Amino acid sequence: MSGDGDNGGGAHVQIGSITGGSQAFGSHGKAESTNHTVVVSDPKQQHLLTQVRALRGELRQAAERTPDDEALDAELGEVEREIGRAGHGDSGLLGRLRTRLEQYGAAAATAASVTAVLQAIAQITG
């Protein structure tokens, strides 16, 4: 912001250059930026990551989210971040996710995705 000159009582912003990131302006401005740069060399881990993301997408589209949905989404998010960070899911983390999925009372809309994630975990952990 600049205090130079009279701008009629409003704010004055002057930007010379912006590189990367997100910007928002105005009283209701909102900026969001999501970047996914994940290099996973193991095809089984990549398959699991794809299935985890698909299930998370279905959970987010649910008309009403239950506490079980929220807990499952959090666990899936943890697996997604771990694979993105380390290139693979930690065996303890995958075991907890498997247990949660087996106990999860999935709606018919997410049942196929739950099964796909369980199968992808089984391919990795045996």
Side-chain angles (χ1 to χ4, degrees):
M1 282 208 191
S2 172
D4 298 340
D6 182 19
N7 58 15
H12 172 78
V13 177
Q14 183 174 352
I15 300 172
S17 174
I18 297 175
T19 304
S22 300
Q23 299 79 40
F25 303 95
S27 62
H28 299 289
K30 180 179 178 182
E32 293 183 20
S33 180
T34 303
N35 299 302
H36 296 282
T37 304
V38 178
V39 178
V40 180
S41 60
D42 181 354
K44 291 178 183 178
Q45 296 287 336
Q46 181 61 52
H47 178 67
L48 174 58
L49 182 59
T50 299
Q51 298 306 319
V52 163
R53 287 178 174 165
L55 179 53
R56 289 190 83 198
E58 286 186 31
L59 288 171
R60 288 182 186 135
Q61 293 176 2
E64 294 183 31
R65 287 179 57 129
T66 67
D68 285 342
D69 294 338
E70 296 291 338
L72 177 57
D73 186 47
E75 193 100 32
L76 290 165
E78 192 174 346
V79 169
E80 184 177 0
R81 286 186 297 280
E82 178 69 13
I83 294 173
R85 184 189 64 75
H88 65 282
D90 172 79
S91 62
L93 184 59
L94 294 180
R96 287 192 308 274
L97 178 59
R98 176 188 287 159
T99 299
R100 181 171 300 281
L101 288 169
E102 289 169 346
Q103 296 171 349
Y104 181 67
T110 61
S113 292
V114 168
T115 301
V117 173
L118 282 169
Q119 290 172 343
I121 292 172
Q123 289 178 354
I124 293 168
T125 61

